Amino acid sequence: MRSLTLGILACAMLVPAGCGRMGDSGLNPLRWFGGGAPRQQTLEPEGGYPITAEDGRLPLAQVTAAKWEPLYEGRLLVVTGLAASKGWWDVALVTEVPMPRGRIRADQDGVLRLRLVGKPPLADTFAAANPPNPASDMATVALTIPNAALAGLREVVITGAGNAITLRR
């Protein structure tokens, strides 16, 4: 009688344990005391990747030049631009499509689209009121593009507020 009772109890425990897939069922005895499926880990930041630029930088008025410089680990993209007034600061090249920090890659067509942006001077200052002098107020920035990103790259399009420059590889 004792082995028959143990056999029935064992079968009664196995039937609910088999319910559901991989422990999803509430009838699974492994979940009765707080156990459950492990929480899945992800590399995506909390809240997801940003979809818009949140730094407040505006496009420079004009992109005047762009050129490649060779590097051991890839190429250096050097871009020169002219702002709408004197005093622009924190000038940088940013991708048009949001990407994780430190990652650059071309789109499906092999085109990397960048924007030349910066922060304008305060509204009631001397710099904001005066037009730029092309001889002294040019802004030059550089962006390192590693060999891994160059593999699928065909051309780079750098956009400002008034124009765009295309640089072929």
Side-chain angles (χ1 to χ4, degrees):
M1 172 101 167
R2 182 174 270 190
S3 59
L4 179 63
T5 306
L6 287 176
I8 292 173
L9 283 175
C11 287
M13 293 297 286
L14 286 175
V15 169
C19 295
R21 19 165 263 240
M22 303 301 276
D24 288 343
S25 173
L27 298 176
N28 188 339
L30 297 176
R31 294 186 47 170
W32 289 350
F33 302 106
R39 186 169 183 245
Q40 232 180 26
Q41 293 182 359
T42 178
L43 295 176
E44 183 176 344
E46 289 186 26
Y49 290 110
I51 55 172
T52 59
E54 299 172 4
D55 61 0
R57 291 187 281 191
L58 303 172
L60 265 68
Q62 191 174 21
V63 180
T64 57
K67 65 180 180 175
W68 290 111
E69 295 288 334
L71 290 176
Y72 177 72
E73 65 271 1
R75 287 190 180 178
L76 185 69
L77 177 63
V78 181
V79 178
T80 306
L82 187 62
S85 66
K86 292 180 177 282
W88 281 62
W89 57 284
D90 196 18
V91 179
L93 286 169
V94 296
T95 57
E96 286 188 1
V97 177
M99 294 183 193
R101 183 176 290 265
R103 295 238 180 127
I104 293 177
R105 71 170 192 275
D107 61 8
Q108 297 85 359
D109 299 327
V111 179
L112 176 62
R113 300 179 192 285
L114 301 171
R115 291 183 300 133
L116 182 62
V117 296
K119 292 186 179 178
L122 296 175
D124 295 332
T125 61
F126 171 80
N130 287 308
N133 181 359
S136 62
D137 295 327
M138 292 295 239
T140 302
V141 295
L143 178 68
T144 302
I145 301 179
N147 286 327
L150 286 172
L153 185 67
R154 193 171 45 87
E155 66 183 25
V156 177
V157 177
I158 303 116
T159 310
N163 68 336
I165 290 182
T166 300
L167 190 64
R168 301 203 190 284
R169 195 180 125 176

